[in-house]
Amino acid sequence: MRRTITECRPIGRANSTDGAGRVALSGEARYDAQMAATDKLVGVIGGMGPDATIDFMAKVIDLTPARTDQDHIRMLVEHNPHIPSRQQAMAGTGEDPGAVIASLAARLEAGGADFIVMPCNAAHAWQPDILKAITIPFVSIVEESVVAAQEAGDGAVGLLTTPGCFAAGVYQRALANQDAVLPTEGELAETLAFVERVKAGDKSEAVSAGLRALANRLLSRGASTIIAACTELPLVLDQSMFNVPFVSSTDVLAIKTVKLALGQEPLPEP
């Protein structure tokens, strides 16, 4: 599923010369030079999971108005699938990944990143650890997804997510002033089972249909917008499958990343 950012203009190379033989930059070439002067290095805490990180990066590439390699956004990626399980940590059965995630963030800043993103919703339970480790901005996929859902339409927001993300309460806090339809304990367990199948490489119609059925249960209880609050979900679900706004947290973060990296929006305060 491809999306475009209307604020980004195509980059051209055509120049002309003035009467003295000097090179006069065309409007598009001036834009090219401006982008080179203002683009930011994106730090990505990745590997949670691997396919979801690659999907996020692919969407950033698709959204960038580039004609050559050099026109693309620079990304410094810590693609580390060995980060301890967020689901197990939140369930109290696994190692706390906070220190590892924070160390990756600090390494990205040391590597020159201007801001950091993390295409994993559940891992935002450890956002406080990240903020303590860095002095550059961190862009929250949770906050951006909630804003996108509120802009997508009126009415209640249905939260399609995993037990770990739900237990962390990151979305419930972000939706505190918004009507929300939350999953039941059984629905959370079903969602996790499908997400684990996606992580194992199963992107079949059966998995997609099962997750659509879970989203439809939220709709049947009054939701009018769905947030896919797990970056594995957009690997098998997209807007074409729903008659209501479907907010892919991966897409939302990719769109914000491109805007910030190209200087179309100012970086948030650290």
Side-chain angles (χ1 to χ4, degrees):
M1 179 174 65
R2 291 175 180 260
R3 301 175 68 175
T4 57
I5 296 178
T6 56
E7 294 88 343
C8 295
R9 290 173 48 200
I11 297 170
R13 299 290 179 183
N15 300 326
S16 60
T17 58
D18 60 16
R22 295 186 295 263
V23 174
L25 292 177
S26 68
E28 288 185 339
R30 282 197 298 273
Y31 176 80
D32 187 14
Q34 181 185 22
M35 189 185 83
T38 60
D39 71 331
K40 302 294 190 294
L41 176 60
V42 183
V44 182
I45 303 174
M48 301 180 285
D51 273 357
T53 299
I54 298 303
D55 185 44
F56 166 76
M57 293 174 65
K59 284 170 174 159
V60 168
I61 291 169
D62 283 349
L63 289 161
T64 303
R67 291 183 178 175
T68 70
D69 291 349
Q70 291 74 26
D71 297 333
H72 278 281
I73 289 168
R74 297 175 298 144
M75 289 185 276
L76 183 61
V77 184
E78 275 283 1
H79 193 264
N80 186 351
H82 294 164
I83 298 170
S85 167
R86 286 68 58 201
Q87 299 298 325
Q88 292 177 9
M90 289 307 302
T93 60
E95 180 183 349
D96 188 314
V100 176
I101 294 172
S103 70
L104 297 179
R107 189 182 305 175
L108 290 169
E109 180 175 11
D114 292 296
F115 67 97
I116 291 176
V117 298
M118 182 167 61
C120 174
N121 288 268
H124 281 63
W126 292 274
Q127 182 173 334
D129 297 87
I130 295 172
L131 297 179
K132 290 177 184 176
I134 61 175
T135 61
I136 58 176
F138 175 78
V139 179
S140 166
I141 194 173
V142 175
E143 293 176 7
E144 294 301 324
S145 295
V146 168
V147 169
Q150 291 169 338
E151 292 176 347
D154 298 326
V157 174
L159 186 64
L160 188 62
T161 193
T162 61
C165 187
F166 189 81
V170 289
Y171 272 95
Q172 294 93 309
R173 289 191 292 274
L175 289 165
N177 296 320
Q178 169 78 42
D179 289 337
V181 178
L182 303 178
T184 65
E185 184 174 341
E187 289 166 347
L188 289 167
E190 289 182 66
T191 302
L192 180 59
F194 286 121
V195 166
E196 288 175 338
R197 288 174 65 176
V198 174
K199 285 179 178 287
D202 182 359
K203 299 172 188 174
S204 64
E205 170 57 25
V207 170
S208 179
L211 288 167
R212 291 198 305 272
L214 287 164
N216 285 331
R217 289 188 211 169
L218 298 174
L219 296 174
S220 72
R221 297 204 296 273
S224 57
T225 299
I226 296 293
I227 294 180
C230 171
T231 50
E232 268 74 39
L233 300 179
L235 295 173
V236 293
L237 299 176
D238 63 44
Q239 179 61 69
S240 69
M241 300 173 181
F242 299 94
N243 294 322
V244 300
F246 173 80
V247 177
S248 159
S249 56
T250 306
D251 286 38
V252 168
L253 187 63
I255 291 169
K256 187 69 171 184
T257 297
V258 171
K259 290 182 178 180
L260 292 174
L262 295 184
Q264 294 178 345
E265 293 184 3
L267 291 179
E269 292 295 322

